[in-house]
Amino acid sequence: GVGETMPFFNQESLQQRLQALIDGARESWAYAIFWQSSSTSDFATPSVLGWGDGYYKGEENKNKRRASSSSANFVAEQEHRKKVLRELNSLISGVQAAGAGSVGDDAVDEEVTDTEWFFLISMTQSFANGNGLPGLAMYSSSPIWVTGTEKLAGSQCERARQAQGFGLQTIVCIPSANGVVELGSTELIFESSDLMNKVKYLFNFNI
Amino acid sequence: LSAVPQARRASLARFLERRKERVVSA
């Protein structure tokens, strides 16, 4: 398994663990994020969870959710998202060697879905211990599993409400060594010990 | 871009590259 063959904590190994977690799952998760804790052995210093890495898989039934695609708001929002993506794309392409994976305009001009956008803006977020779903999971040392539009919308956590606004129906945060693993889906997925065990196996490593 | 931490930059590059693959294969 991945956990046995990759003993070291690095970006590549983290990405493979996130992939292994949702590519092999029966449920259709749209993404997995590892929120990395800044904490050290000094327990007096408050820890912050920041972006460690993420794997975006996408939604299975994307076409079902395109009801409002002709509204003016939708068009304006898409223009904004594509503009941001275009800028990010040129920044990334600019630092890569010529021909080494620059992304063409076709990909940028394709609709940027709500789930993709939620994943992208997640990269700008961080959570103090006890704040937001990931921070709360870390603070309580127990998994948080929120299924259903109403539960997400009614959550005290801004991130859960934001997820619901972008069409997600399930969001899960599972604490692990040095951070929190978060998964999101546009489907209704109910709590399973299978996923918890997988996270325990794949992410309980020490830096 | 140098202000963007390495982890996010790598994740972003990967996301954009995979998005391109999804669009091409669609």
Side-chain angles (χ1 to χ4, degrees), chain A residues 189-201:
Chain A
I189 301 175
F190 294 94
E191 195 163 336
S192 78
S193 53
D194 185 46
L195 184 79
M196 315 270 195
N197 291 336
K198 261 183 159 178
V199 169
K200 209 178 276 178
Y201 171 69

Side-chain angles (χ1 to χ4, degrees), chain B residues 2-25:
Chain B
S2 58
V4 181
Q6 169 63 25
R8 293 174 202 219
R9 207 160 55 203
S11 298
L12 187 57
R14 208 177 267 127
F15 172 80
L16 291 169
E17 191 56 38
R18 289 216 181 101
R19 181 175 152 82
K20 180 188 172 189
E21 288 166 11
R22 282 198 302 277
V23 170
V24 169
S25 68

Side-chain angles (χ1 to χ4, degrees), chain A residues 115-150:
Chain A
T115 329
E116 283 178 312
W117 193 245
F118 180 70
F119 181 81
L120 267 177
I121 58 176
S122 298
M123 290 187 200
T124 67
Q125 297 179 348
S126 59
F127 306 92
N129 201 0
N131 284 356
L133 279 187
L136 209 54
M138 185 78 177
Y139 181 70
S140 63
S141 299
S142 49
I144 299 175
W145 196 301
V146 191
T147 305
T149 305
E150 280 178 23

